[in-house]
Every structure is written in C-alpha cells, then in structure tokens.
Amino acid sequence: MKIKNMVLGFSLFLGAFFLTTIPVFAADYVGSGQFPAGQSVRWKFTGFSGGYESHANISMGRWHTYTDVSMLKVTSNEDIKVTVGNWGITAWYGIAYICDIYGNCDNTTAWSNTFASCDLDYNAYFTATSAEKENTFMHEAGHCLSLGHRDNVGSIMDPDRSSQTWLNATDKTLINNRY
C-alpha cells in the first residue's frame, strides 16, 4: 500500500515522550471524495423504528462527538438517509450507497468527487444485540463519510460484524483528515 500521509502524535511511556506515527493509507478510504468540508453532514432516520432509531442516534452521535465531522440530525434535506427495513436474507447487515454531485452513484467516480448523498440501509431481517446494531450503523456511516474497510481488530471499519461500538485512534484520524 502507498502511504498517503503520516499523522504525528506523542506517546507517554515510563515518563518519557516518544514520537509515534499512525500510517494513513489511500486504501483506507473508498476514494478521494467526501461531503463538503466545513459544513455539517445532515442525516435523517427513515423506515420503521422498532428501537432502531435510538441506536442510529447513538452511532451518529459518536462520529459527531469523537471526530471533527459535525453530524446534524434533520427531518429533510439530508446528506445521509438512514433507512431500516427488512430486506430478507442478503449477504449484508448494512450497506452504504454513495452518489456524487454529478449523478454518479456507488462507483469509483462517485467516491472520488464531492458527495451529494449517501443511503445507509440497515437490514432488520437479522437478529442483533444493541451493540451489533450500533456497530452496523457506525460502520456504514463510516463508509458514508468516505472510509473503506480496515481488516484489523479495533477499527469500526473492520468488515466482520462485531459488538464494538467505539472508534479507535486510526478511525478518528482518518475522518479528521477529511473533515
């Protein structure tokens, strides 16, 4: 993988400071696109609630609280539409579908331009714990915010469903680099 840039940080170990780096790879993103920086990313919940809306609220709130992206819940004119539905047996628990400002959708062209919208669909067919619901909402929101899969334990962008409901340092750094 080609390193896109490096993020510098400090670690405290036995009372001494050591310079550390977190590598940020281009492959950590779905492409070079994003929602316009400096603006709130507006999101709206649709579909049947059945307790899912509270999990979406918590999940979007974590992106808002722990990163530089401003997530604003709205009732119209959304950037991210969160829909809960029963799509039956599929190969996915959740899915994110990104379109750019030129009408390109869910392809490398759309992912490399300014985003116009993202449909975040949650498949309620599958039984899930509260933590698994929040993990799925957070993971798919990460895609909507431009993150790709990260095959490592500890990242919300690990494609294997889990009960993790926190963002690790790299998840935060990747979003903060964009927003």
Side-chain angles (χ1 to χ4, degrees), residues 10-19:
F10 291 97
S11 296
L12 183 61
F13 180 71
L14 299 176
F17 285 99
F18 296 94
L19 187 60

Side-chain angles (χ1 to χ4, degrees), residues 10 14 20 22 27 30-31 62 64 71 74 82 89 92 97 105 109 114 116 142 145 154 157 160 164-166 175-176:
F10 291 97
L14 299 176
T20 61
I22 298 172
V30 293
R62 286 194 178 111
H64 177 83
M71 302 292 287
V74 297
V82 178
I89 299 174
W92 53 272
Y97 186 82
C105 293
T109 301
T114 301
L145 296 171
M157 298 313 296
D160 295 325
Q164 175 183 332
T165 59
W166 64 89
I175 288 298
N176 293 343

Side-chain angles (χ1 to χ4, degrees), residues 39-42 63-64 67-72 179:
Q39 299 178 21
S40 292
V41 176
R42 301 162 309 205
W63 285 110
H64 177 83
T67 69
D68 291 341
V69 67
S70 174
M71 302 292 287
L72 177 65
Y179 294 91

Side-chain angles (χ1 to χ4, degrees), residues 94-152:
I95 195 164
Y97 186 82
I98 299 168
C99 293
D100 70 13
I101 59 173
Y102 305 107
N104 301 299
C105 293
D106 214 31
N107 58 39
T108 55
T109 301
W111 301 331
S112 297
N113 290 318
T114 301
F115 296 172
S117 67
C118 182
D119 288 347
L120 186 166
D121 294 336
Y122 182 97
N123 190 354
Y125 173 81
F126 299 102
T127 302
T129 65
S130 292
E132 289 169 334
K133 290 174 187 173
E134 290 169 23
N135 172 273
T136 302
F137 282 121
M138 289 177 70
H139 176 92
E140 297 308 329
H143 287 314
C144 289
L145 296 171
S146 76
L147 297 184
H149 283 142
R150 294 184 51 80
D151 292 324
N152 66 340

